[in-house]
Amino acid sequence: MDVVVVGAGQAGLSSAYHLGRTGFVPERDFVVLDHAPGPGGAWQFRWPSLTYGKVHGMHSLPGMELETGEADAARPSS
């Protein structure tokens, strides 16, 4: 393993995305570790009403552009 990304929050997912874009292969060249059962970092543990659509100053995750409208529970950025 060449790179270990600690944390699957917005910064960790962004790091993994850009590692992949530069030719690193997931699970061969790099891995993302997090104590939570899924990606998304602190967003998983916030209030249900705290979503990207309602918080100002937040940005989309790379490759998962933020769309206006209803939050999608399947997206880490929701």
Side-chain angles (χ1 to χ4, degrees), residues 7-10 13 32-45 61 73-77:
Q10 188 170 3
L13 294 175
V32 179
L33 304 177
D34 197 286
H35 77 283
W43 284 103
Q44 299 175 75
F45 309 106
L61 296 171
R75 296 175 60 190
S77 59

Side-chain angles (χ1 to χ4, degrees), residues 35-58:
H35 77 283
W43 284 103
Q44 299 175 75
F45 309 106
R46 304 278 185 187
W47 304 275
S49 62
L50 182 59
T51 63
Y52 269 148
K54 296 179 183 176
V55 176
H56 299 290
M58 301 308 275

Side-chain angles (χ1 to χ4, degrees), residues 6 16 21-23 27 32 34 38-39 49 52 55 57 60 64 68 74-75:
V6 178
R21 286 189 58 194
T22 60
E27 297 185 25
V32 179
D34 197 286
S49 62
Y52 269 148
V55 176
S60 299
M64 301 177 82
T68 58
R75 296 175 60 190

Side-chain angles (χ1 to χ4, degrees), residues 2-35:
D2 294 325
V3 179
V4 175
V5 177
V6 178
Q10 188 170 3
L13 294 175
S14 178
S15 297
Y17 172 79
H18 288 288
L19 284 167
R21 286 189 58 194
T22 60
F24 285 82
V25 177
E27 297 185 25
R28 186 190 77 192
D29 301 324
F30 75 93
V31 65
V32 179
L33 304 177
D34 197 286
H35 77 283

